[in-house]
Each structure stands twice: as structure tokens, then as C-alpha cells.
Amino acid sequence: QVQLVQSGAEVKKPGSSVKVSCKASGGTFSSYTISWVRQAPGQGLEWMGRIIPILGIANYAQKFQGRVTITADKSTSTAYMELSSLRSEDTAVYYCAGTIVYTFDPWGQGTLVTVSS
Amino acid sequence: QSALTQPPSASGSPGQSVTISCTGTSSDVGGYNYVSWYQQHPGKAPKLMIYEVSKRPSGVPDRFSGSKSGNTASLTVSGLQAEDEADYYCSSYAGSNNFYVFGTGTKVTVL
């Protein structure tokens, strides 16, 4: 089964951007769509968007439209999530998750993004 | 798109059962048989426990079961064990405009 390994923790200034990667191994990257889900400290899960790597088509939650960009590099089986105009409320753990038949499995280990001046 | 509604907490003694509800609308839970449930221990990534309302992935104990009636889905954990103490989240497909929505989460405590 596919395993997803994410990039390391980031500390960013308000107004800047962050790009988190999610590398797939041990399976067929193109079999999945990749979703990004975030979890603010002590809060619940929030779906941000997804990409279909074989098509390069991305869809975003309305809340993040215009501020998030999800891309994928088929040659390296890696998906990316870039979030711009960061504010303190964007401090969260960001997860990537493989999605088949509307189900999130597997999950990456999570990447903590801290936004602080 | 509003989050699905779950009770903040649920509890039970070892060996007992606990049921968690997940209430949405006809645009998500009620409209599709694509409800899934995730277990999350502190500091860990979520883990899939139930998909497509009632199906269990390989390796998930049969103590975990799911169902749906109308706009409300439910997760039942029977024969509670200490390791079942965790946060649980439901999720539903919500159509090609909104795609996915998660529940507010329920903390399950084993007394």
C-alpha cells in the first residue's frame, strides 16, 4: 500500500507563503487523488482541497479559494500544497491523504506550520 | 459548507458500548453512502476505521461498526477497550461543488 511522507515543520511570518510536500512510495501514485486536510491546535479536521495527479486537476474548498494551490509531480510521486498570505489562524498541522472512493486512506504523518511574527 | 455535527464527548466502561452520531444534511450524509470514520490518538495522524457507511478496512476490529439513517450516520464501538480512547471524526462526500466535509469530532473516554 502507498505510504505518504511529508516535509518537515515550518515557521513562517504573517503574510508569507508556505509549501508542504507529500511524497508517495510503495504503491501506484496515480491510483489516488491526494487531499490536504488541516487541523488547528485543539480543533477538528478541515478539508482544504485535492488534486488528481494523473490529470493535474485540482479542486479547492471555498474557504481557501485564491489562497491555496495544490500541485503534483508525477515523475517524483509528490504532491504539494502551497498556502499564501499566511496569518496566525493558519497555524495548524497539515496532512495529506490518499483518497480512493471518497475515503481518506492512507494519511501522511502531518506537517506543523507555525505562523508567528 | 458547515461541519457535520457530532457530540463533543462520549464515554463508557471497559466492555461496554458507545455510539457516536454524525448529523449532516441531504447534501452530504443523507445524499451519499460515502460516510467514513477516523480515529485519532493525541499527536497522531487520523486512522480510517469505517468507510462507505459500514465497511471495515482490513485490520480494524469488528468491534467497530457503522450505520446510517437519513441525514445521520453513527459509529458504534462495542466491547470498549482502553486503546479505543481517542478522538473520532466522521466525514462525508458532499458533491462535486463542496467535495468533502468533516464532523466536529467526538472525544471518547474509557472510564
Side-chain angles (χ1 to χ4, degrees), chain A residues 33 35 37 39 43-47 50 59-62 95 99 101-105 107-110, chain B residues 1 34 36 38 40 43-48 50-52 89 91 93 97-104:
Chain A
T33 65
S35 281
V37 177
Q39 186 172 37
Q43 302 300 308
L45 302 171
E46 184 174 32
W47 185 78
R50 67 131 192 214
N59 305 101
Y60 305 112
Q62 205 162 16
Y95 293 101
T99 311
V101 196
Y102 312 107
T103 299
F104 302 102
D105 183 57
W107 293 69
Q109 84 275 19
Chain B
Q1 182 71 24
Y34 294 125
S36 48
Y38 303 87
Q40 186 180 35
K44 300 295 187 181
K47 174 188 175 184
L48 176 68
I50 295 287
Y51 67 101
E52 292 181 40
Y89 293 91
S91 175
Y93 180 63
N97 285 329
N98 297 305
F99 286 93
Y100 299 100
V101 60
F102 282 96
T104 50

Side-chain angles (χ1 to χ4, degrees), chain A residues 38-58:
Chain A
R38 79 176 186 179
Q39 186 172 37
Q43 302 300 308
L45 302 171
E46 184 174 32
W47 185 78
M48 301 178 67
R50 67 131 192 214
I51 189 163
I52 307 172
I54 57 171
L55 300 176
I57 294 174

